Amino acid sequence: MRTQVAIIGGGPSGLLLSQLLHEKGIDTVVLERRTRDYVLGRIRAGILEAGFVNLMKEAGVAARMEAESFTHDGTIIAYGEEQFGINFKSLTDESVVVYGQTEVTRDLYDARDAAGGVVLHECSGVTPHDLDTDKPFVTFLHDGKVVRLDCDYVAGCDGFHGPSRQAIPLTVRREYEKTYPFGWLGILSETPPVNDELIYSSSDRGFALCSMRNDNLSRYYIQCSLSDSPDDWSDDMFWDELMRRIPSAAAESLVTGASIEKSIAPLRSFVTEPMRWGRLFLCGDAAHIVPPTGAKGLNTAASDVHYLYHALTAFYDGGDTEGIDRYSEKALSRIWKTERFSWWMTNLLHRFPEQTEFDLRIQRAEIEFLRSSEAAQRALAENYVGLPY
Ligand code: RFL
Ligand code: PHB
């Protein structure tokens, strides 16, 4: 089997890259470990930057998103009983879009199917080889057979636990990591959202977030202990705790209901350098992770896809290798800024176990400064809507 670009991982990064390259006449094969239903069952991101939306348009897959998504011009920051809005639109002239990662992934699968794209599911033992030569290949087991896929390049879009990052030798690879002493317990419920904008809430009991997917589908999160399991939290316990962590006006109007999904995600900041080694490119969660507080994981994956897609297009168009040579540097420059923002927003709004009274006063002062300073709000807004590519 042969293709131009072998893509390991059929999550949003792999599928978006595949679809964008297809639009430019470049052939790809996507190798995914899981079934399609499993990939579509993962409830993850909900907020898309304008840059992501533009890539979906460029990939020719924006029709349903344009019809069904919601534009958000701002967000609410709450602390105790206090709250204030940050208007992205007036501060930056940009907005964000509410459209779930599940829907993005579904649209991309549909587009790959319609174009006859090859996306192989339930591939096991996927292993890239000879990445530092000009004849790389990938081997894997599919339908009980060992398959060899020859290619020009390999895109490692296989998430945090995939094999691509490990293929970069330890003599070359550097990893930077910060873990946080808590997780997020999230639920999805078929109830109307408590507010028309997201509420990021800092409280004495810990952080809470009120988000949504549509008029009758809400997504809520609370900061939880890393030792908690979703089974420890009945729906009633979750709603009670959420209500204690948001201003009472919001708590009183909260519509509760049965959860249709409940999961815990640990919070982590992580970056691998470099993001290219020989003919391998890392893309998305395979190379970096942010805590979800700034809604940036999927969006940084999209900026990698942007740089990589332009690099590969320039190469296949006329042999220009500048984009390929500078991929890692360009992608990492934007990623580190986004890592900083996600880390900052996490520190601003969460309770940390070892925080002293002094730390708490400083945290409170920082939130109040944000409330009073247009410059501080603009800095948040500029990052939240997405830094330029
Ligand atoms: P993914 O989505 O992990 O996809 C990687 C794919 O690779 C497959 N794979 C393999 N395939 C073949 N062989 C192997 N050996 C393989 N190993 C793995 C996997 O099965 C999978 O299908 O990475 P990708 O494509 O880079 O996309 C990244 C995003 O999924 C991620 O950054 C976001 O979901 C993060 N995130 C958020 N991002 C945002 O931009 N906005 C948000 O509001 C937001 N909220 C969130 C989030 C992530 C969360 N969790 C659970 C981690 C909220 C949560 C709770
Ligand atoms: C979500 O809706 O899942 C979501 C929204 C904003 C975040 C994180 C997650 O910061």
Side-chain angles (χ1 to χ4, degrees):
M1 206 176 180
R2 180 169 171 88
T3 189
Q4 288 172 296
V5 183
I7 299 179
I8 307 179
S13 313
L15 294 170
L16 183 58
L17 179 66
S18 169
Q19 181 63 16
L20 284 163
L21 292 176
H22 163 80
E23 291 287 305
K24 299 287 182 189
I26 300 165
D27 187 53
T28 64
V29 169
V30 178
L31 308 174
E32 168 57 48
R33 182 165 63 114
R34 304 285 193 171
T35 64
R36 186 174 294 206
D37 284 347
Y38 183 94
V39 175
L40 290 172
R42 292 191 291 228
I43 310 294
R44 289 183 168 183
I47 303 287
L48 308 181
E49 297 173 351
F52 193 108
V53 171
N54 290 339
L55 278 176
M56 292 286 280
K57 287 183 192 161
E58 220 168 316
V61 289
R64 194 165 70 95
M65 181 181 71
E66 285 178 311
E68 296 178 14
S69 66
F70 296 82
T71 298
H72 280 206
D73 289 341
T75 193
I76 304 291
I77 305 284
Y79 55 111
E81 282 300 320
E82 303 283 326
Q83 66 173 64
F84 58 97
I86 297 184
N87 191 313
F88 309 143
K89 187 76 187 164
S90 68
L91 291 162
T92 66
D93 208 27
E94 300 257 16
S95 306
V96 292
V97 159
V98 173
Y99 192 63
Q101 178 167 333
T102 313
E103 307 310 319
V104 167
T105 311
R106 191 185 303 283
D107 294 345
L108 287 165
Y109 272 135
D110 289 349
R112 294 315 295 125
D113 289 349
V118 183
V119 181
L120 301 179
H121 284 274
E122 297 181 81
C123 298
S124 58
V126 175
T127 312
H129 305 267
D130 291 0
L131 295 164
D132 55 346
T133 73
D134 58 3
K135 291 192 174 51
F137 63 100
V138 182
T139 54
F140 55 97
L141 196 65
H142 188 246
D143 273 347
K145 293 190 197 79
V146 177
V147 184
R148 172 178 166 136
L149 175 62
D150 289 286
C151 55
D152 301 330
Y153 290 100
V154 177
C157 304
D158 43 359
F160 185 63
H161 301 287
S164 296
R165 186 174 68 250
Q166 315 299 339
I168 303 181
L170 280 169
T171 47
V172 177
R173 178 164 36 112
R174 289 210 60 185
E175 296 184 346
Y176 303 85
E177 181 169 35
K178 179 172 183 61
T179 54
Y180 300 83
F182 42 74
W184 276 20
L185 168 66
I187 69 163
L188 192 66
S189 71
E190 284 168 328
T191 51
V194 66
N195 190 54
D196 55 3
E197 284 180 345
L198 271 65
I199 303 176
Y200 286 89
S201 188
S202 170
S203 90
D204 291 343
R205 300 179 66 93
F207 172 77
L209 171 62
C210 306
S211 182
M212 67 206 68
R213 293 293 176 270
N214 61 43
D215 289 341
N216 198 42
L217 196 56
S218 296
R219 182 77 167 148
Y220 296 101
Y221 297 95
I222 54 175
Q223 174 185 348
C224 66
S225 162
L226 281 173
S227 57
D228 286 1
S229 129
D231 300 334
D232 299 336
W233 287 85
S234 67
D235 289 355
D236 285 345
M237 281 166 69
F238 180 92
W239 293 120
D240 284 348
E241 188 57 33
L242 176 68
M243 282 192 257
R244 291 194 193 105
R245 295 186 188 192
I246 58 178
S248 43
E252 279 153 25
S253 60
L254 182 75
V255 180
T256 63
S259 65
I260 54 173
E261 197 263 358
K262 194 185 283 161
S263 53
I264 292 183
L267 267 67
R268 182 198 309 272
S269 299
F270 175 86
V271 181
T272 310
E273 294 183 352
M275 285 176 57
R276 175 189 148 229
W277 183 67
R279 297 224 164 200
L280 169 73
F281 303 94
L282 299 180
C283 218
D285 280 15
H288 43 77
I289 299 286
V290 286
T293 326
K296 290 295 167 215
L298 180 58
N299 290 303
T300 42
S303 66
D304 295 348
V305 168
H306 164 89
Y307 295 123
L308 184 51
Y309 144 69
H310 283 284
L312 289 170
T313 307
F315 170 75
Y316 283 111
D317 261 3
D320 178 359
T321 61
E322 199 255 348
I324 286 176
D325 294 337
R326 293 195 53 216
Y327 168 71
S328 181
E329 171 198 334
K330 283 189 191 171
L332 284 166
S333 163
R334 189 177 187 279
I335 282 152
W336 274 112
K337 291 177 203 128
T338 309
E339 289 282 344
R340 186 210 65 83
F341 173 66
S342 306
W343 162 87
W344 173 78
M345 223 170 137
T346 303
N347 281 298
L348 182 73
L349 298 170
H350 290 75
R351 282 287 172 277
F352 287 71
E354 68 288 356
Q355 258 171 329
T356 62
E357 282 301 314
F358 177 85
D359 298 331
L360 289 168
R361 289 290 192 284
I362 293 288
Q363 195 181 41
R364 169 98 178 194
E366 188 154 17
I367 297 178
E368 288 182 349
F369 175 65
L370 181 63
R371 180 179 199 159
S372 62
S373 160
E374 190 181 294
Q377 290 191 11
R378 181 169 289 113
L380 185 150
E382 210 177 318
N383 281 281
Y384 198 92
V385 300
L387 298 174
Y389 285 173

